[in-house]
Every structure is written in structure tokens, then in C-alpha cells.
Amino acid sequence: MEWKDWSNVLFRQRYSLPACSGVYLIADTNHRVWYVGQAANLKGRWAGKSHHRYPQLIRSNRQICHKIYWKEFPINFLYEQERYYINLFQPELNGCKVKKYLLKQPQIEREIKRLLKVINKLTSLFDVIRSVVAGEYQGDDGIRCIVILININDYDIISNSMQKRYSPEVRKAWTIYKPDCGRDKDNYTPPWIPTYNFDSYRLEFVVTEWELFEYLANNSSAYELYLGIAELFGIQVKALKDLRILNELLMEEEYSYTNFDRKKILKSAAYINYRKHIFNCLLSLTE
């Protein structure tokens, strides 16, 4: 589509729009056009929160990541060009009342937010830290992968989500990732990592040994040095802000026994050590 070649900015960076006349459209990461408009001054039209569609768009921006695409046109051509693109894309927000909000969040999105809230809620057993985002990396397929370390007690929560009886969309979002961790497949059985696929993200829930959580819970200086708070899909999560801790904790990578075909069984620590050199701290860390 020709508009994909237009200049664009992220919705949250709309203040960087130029002060020129032009036609603009709002589209998400799936290239769905939500709104088409025109302005004699693009920068002024989107200054602050004055745009009449701002309340609707900001509600969904975290989930579907809007971009503002724009193309400069002379003022006397704006109306003609605006009508052309409205007729072409039939955007939903051009055909609804301002007070109408976007559709309810999809179940697949609600579920991942629910899980993040649960595994970050402290309990009597985990009264300091319950889970932590180790980092993120870009997969070979270009997907943004986020690695979340959880304790063995919370695996049942993940397992129950994978088997949701009345939520086929959620069940389909789950896959099991079996990384070889750089080992010979003929001699090693890979760890099983539950993976939630959502929009342009892949969230890997890695069951981690108790040592990491105990170390951070019982060492206040390490807690302050290595941990921060980040925002993930609008949910506050604990995240590593210094990845050196992954080198300091020597977690065992293999079980002491072999499986039925005489292969050594890898622990999740093998995967963490295999990936950690390409981890980046989670973006949008707030503390």
C-alpha cells in the first residue's frame, strides 16, 4: 500500500511531527488503518491531547502500537486527498461517534496481562520477589522475545493457562519451545519452555532455580543493584537492570540422571546461559 512509504512517527512521539500541511492516518502494527485526517499544521493538530480522537487512540496504543503516517499536501488539496483515503480504507474511527471507544481487548491480550499481574503479586512465600524479566532479544524471525524467569511454584499457573478449556484463542497462543542450547541433540534432551505468542511478541516463561530468587530476596544490596521496575503491556513487572547477576550465579545446567534413551537432560539454566550474551535489559525500565 502506498501509505506504508509515507513518513511516520510512533504515536507517543507525535510531538515530532512537522509543522506543515498534509494528510495523516493512524495505523497499527498489523497495518490496519484506524483513522484518516488532514491538517493545515500537522504538529499543531497533534500537540498535547487536543485531538478529538486522542482518548480513543491512547486507550489502545499500548496494545496495538499506533503510528502516525503523514504526507505533505498543499492546503487547497487537503480535503480532496482526505476523502480519497477515507473512501479507500474505510477506517473504523472515521465512521463512529467520538464517544465510542475501540473494541474490547482481545482475550489473548487480557490473558497475558492477567498472568503478568499474578506472577508479580507478592505472597507469604515470595514476599520480596516472585518473578523477574531477565531481558529481551530479537529472534531469528525478527520477533521481539522477552524472557521471564519464574519459580517452580508458579508453573501450574502457566500450565493452567495453556489448557484453558473455554479459551481456544489462548490455547493457540501457547507453544512449547525446545531450544538445543548449543548442545548436541544426540546427547542432550532440551528444556521445555512455555512460550506465549502475542502480536509481535514472544514471551518465554523459564522455570528457574530457587538460588536466584533467594539471593535477591536475602541480599538488599544486590536487590537494589540488579533489579528495577519496567512496564510490560501496561503492567508493572520486576526486571533485571544489570545482567551481570546471570554470570555471578552458577546454576547447574544438567540433571544428574539421564532419560530413557540415555540422553542427559538440560535444565533451564542451560538456556539462560546460552542466551544471556544477546540479552538486552527490558526497554522502558522505569527504575
Side-chain angles (χ1 to χ4, degrees):
M1 295 182 184
E2 61 180 275
W3 61 267
K4 292 181 183 179
D5 297 326
W6 291 11
S7 300
N8 66 83
V9 297
L10 293 173
F11 186 74
R12 65 174 181 271
Q13 296 175 338
R14 57 194 179 281
Y15 56 82
S16 62
L17 284 164
C20 66
S21 60
V23 170
Y24 61 87
L25 56 85
I26 312 298
D28 60 28
T29 52
N30 295 318
H31 304 301
R32 178 180 179 181
V33 177
W34 287 93
Y35 187 75
V36 172
Q38 49 101 345
N41 185 322
L42 292 169
K43 187 180 185 69
R45 185 71 182 94
W46 283 99
K49 304 177 182 179
S50 61
H51 195 287
H52 66 292
R53 295 292 177 179
Y54 177 84
Q56 292 170 302
L57 294 169
I58 195 62
R59 282 168 61 92
S60 59
N61 183 53
R62 283 177 178 166
Q63 292 81 44
I64 54 180
C65 301
H66 298 304
K67 281 187 177 181
I68 302 177
Y69 291 80
W70 61 273
K71 186 174 184 180
E72 185 173 359
F73 288 103
I75 291 179
N76 57 320
F77 285 95
L78 291 180
Y79 179 77
E80 174 187 336
Q81 291 297 321
E82 178 190 35
R83 300 316 303 173
Y84 169 77
Y85 287 106
I86 289 176
N87 292 332
L88 179 64
F89 297 118
Q90 297 294 312
E92 180 176 330
L93 292 185
N94 283 89
C96 72
K97 295 180 180 179
V98 173
K99 67 179 181 180
K100 179 180 176 183
Y101 289 105
L102 297 181
L103 299 176
K104 189 177 181 181
Q105 291 177 359
Q107 191 166 15
I108 184 175
E109 181 179 330
R110 296 199 305 272
E111 176 65 6
I112 192 59
K113 289 184 175 182
R114 182 189 72 83
L115 290 174
L116 291 174
K117 288 179 181 178
V118 170
I119 64 174
N120 280 278
K121 183 178 181 180
L122 300 181
T123 66
S124 57
L125 183 60
F126 295 95
D127 57 351
V128 177
I129 181 172
R130 183 172 173 179
S131 66
V132 61
V133 177
E136 63 174 301
Y137 69 94
Q138 186 173 18
D140 295 335
D141 52 3
I143 295 293
R144 182 179 174 186
C145 303
I146 299 175
V147 179
I148 303 174
L149 308 183
I150 63 172
N151 65 80
I152 188 62
N153 288 36
D154 283 340
Y155 181 79
D156 284 346
I157 295 173
I158 301 299
S159 180
N160 289 339
S161 177
M162 296 175 71
Q163 303 173 55
K164 272 188 175 291
R165 183 176 178 183
Y166 301 108
S167 304
E169 298 91 350
V170 170
R171 292 200 304 272
K172 290 177 183 178
W174 285 104
T175 56
I176 294 293
Y177 178 34
K178 303 176 185 178
D180 60 25
C181 304
R183 307 296 183 92
D184 184 354
K185 294 181 180 180
D186 293 331
N187 296 317
Y188 291 92
T189 297
W192 286 31
I193 300 175
T195 303
Y196 196 85
N197 302 278
F198 166 60
D199 197 12
S200 57
Y201 297 88
R202 187 157 55 237
L203 282 74
E204 301 172 4
F205 291 86
V206 181
V207 177
T208 308
E209 302 292 338
W210 287 84
E211 291 94 325
L212 172 66
F213 299 104
E214 289 182 339
Y215 178 66
L216 290 170
N218 299 325
N219 189 327
S220 58
S221 60
Y223 184 95
E224 294 179 1
L225 176 62
Y226 294 119
L227 279 185
I229 302 297
E231 191 173 278
L232 189 55
F233 309 125
I235 308 300
Q236 284 198 338
V237 298
K238 287 187 170 64
L240 294 180
K241 62 182 180 181
D242 189 330
L243 300 178
R244 287 179 299 172
I245 189 175
L246 299 178
N247 297 321
E248 294 181 11
L249 291 177
L250 300 177
M251 296 181 286
E252 294 183 357
E253 296 190 2
E254 304 172 12
Y255 287 98
S256 58
Y257 52 85
T258 58
N259 61 10
F260 66 92
D261 56 0
R262 310 295 295 176
K263 291 183 180 181
K264 296 180 180 179
I265 304 174
L266 292 177
K267 293 185 175 183
S268 58
Y271 179 64
I272 296 171
N273 289 332
Y274 173 68
R275 283 289 190 203
K276 66 186 180 183
H277 70 284
I278 62 171
F279 279 173
N280 294 310
C281 289
L282 189 67
L283 298 179
S284 73
L285 201 67
T286 57
E287 291 185 12

